[in-house]
Amino acid sequence: NAGVTQTPKFQVLKTGQSMTLQCAQDMNHNSMYWYRQDPGMGLRLIYYSASEGTTDKGEVPNGYNVSRLNKREFSLRLESAAPSQTSVYFCASSEEPLAGSYNEQFFGPGTRLTVL
Amino acid sequence: GNSVTQMEGPVTLSEEAFLTINCTYTATGYPSLFWYVQYPGEGLQLLLKATKADDKGSNKGFEATYRKETTSFHLEKGSVQVSDSAVYFCAPPPKAGGYNKLIFGAGTRLAVHP
């Protein structure tokens, strides 16, 4: 049981390049999330997927797109990378919460992205 | 809307010292509350949780009591160890109608010295 896995662990891009961050979970969770973590800013939600086939914007979606490929996988794409997107990216998953409540989220180890 | 105020860090302690990290919240209703911890180079992981008022969450020697009258969920540990050095996040309740969208603050960095 690997939990939440992310690839790659490290990536360096040049401004304008594109890339896709991969995330997979083996806990049969319905909900998945992408966060970015910047020094002094904490974690900020980029996009989330409540269940397979649905995605919604979080706090900072600009410059990103997501795909919920199936129940296990949720990818984050940067179409044209900018230095402001230098950050650590975390994927997370959780059981689908009941209305009015929320559930523990399980996090992956992160992807450290540098955009030059 | 729902929000949380967490003690700013960094907090620097000597081994075996007592730890308190304050967290207060505002929320509609009385939601579950969580503390997460992030060790260096890793993702966040759940440290403890409380699901109702007066509930006490505990794990690895850490405790937090969900106090409805003060809307607080302070994290405490009687004797910290060097291995407790990490960043601690008090996870706020989701925004009303906000599903499971947790919005974390910067957290509180704890450094424990031998």
Side-chain angles (χ1 to χ4, degrees), chain A residues 31 33 35 37 40-43 45 48 50 57-59 90 94-97 100-109 112, chain B residues 31-34 36 38 40-46 49 87 89 91-94 98-107:
Chain A
S31 302
Y33 315 82
Y35 294 88
Q37 185 176 33
M41 298 292 290
L43 269 77
L45 183 67
Y48 72 103
K57 295 178 180 179
E59 195 181 1
F90 290 99
S94 75
E95 293 179 356
E96 189 169 1
S101 70
Y102 69 120
N103 292 328
E104 172 188 359
Q105 294 188 14
F106 294 82
F107 285 79
R112 297 181 182 277
Chain B
S32 301
L33 296 174
F34 298 77
Y36 284 79
Q38 183 179 28
E42 299 182 9
L44 277 70
Q45 57 185 272
L46 182 70
K49 65 181 178 182
V87 182
F89 296 86
Y99 194 67
N100 209 32
K101 294 191 294 183
L102 298 181
I103 299 178
F104 295 89

Side-chain angles (χ1 to χ4, degrees), chain A residues 23-52:
Chain A
C23 173
Q25 52 91 10
D26 62 3
M27 294 173 282
N28 203 36
H29 286 161
N30 279 325
S31 302
M32 297 186 74
Y33 315 82
W34 275 106
Y35 294 88
R36 60 178 289 174
Q37 185 176 33
D38 303 295
M41 298 292 290
L43 269 77
R44 293 181 290 171
L45 183 67
I46 305 171
Y47 271 94
Y48 72 103
S49 172
S51 60
E52 187 178 355

Side-chain angles (χ1 to χ4, degrees), chain B:
Chain B
N2 295 347
S3 65
V4 69
T5 301
Q6 183 176 344
M7 175 178 167
E8 288 189 20
V11 174
T12 303
L13 296 174
S14 298
E15 207 164 23
E16 299 184 1
F18 183 84
L19 169 71
T20 300
I21 301 177
N22 292 338
C23 174
T24 57
Y25 66 90
T26 60
T28 301
Y30 301 103
S32 301
L33 296 174
F34 298 77
W35 274 100
Y36 284 79
V37 59
Q38 183 179 28
Y39 297 104
E42 299 182 9
L44 277 70
Q45 57 185 272
L46 182 70
L47 179 60
L48 54 83
K49 65 181 178 182
T51 57
K52 59 184 185 298
D54 298 323
D55 202 15
K56 177 185 282 187
S58 61
N59 186 26
K60 300 181 180 181
F62 290 89
E63 293 183 341
T65 301
Y66 183 156
R67 299 199 185 280
K68 189 174 66 175
E69 65 277 10
T70 56
T71 64
S72 65
F73 193 51
H74 304 326
L75 182 68
E76 298 181 334
K77 186 173 186 181
S79 177
V80 294
Q81 305 300 311
V82 172
S83 57
D84 294 326
S85 298
V87 182
Y88 294 83
F89 296 86
C90 179
K95 294 180 179 178
Y99 194 67
N100 209 32
K101 294 191 294 183
L102 298 181
I103 299 178
F104 295 89
T108 301
R109 181 175 299 279
L110 170 66
V112 181
H113 298 290

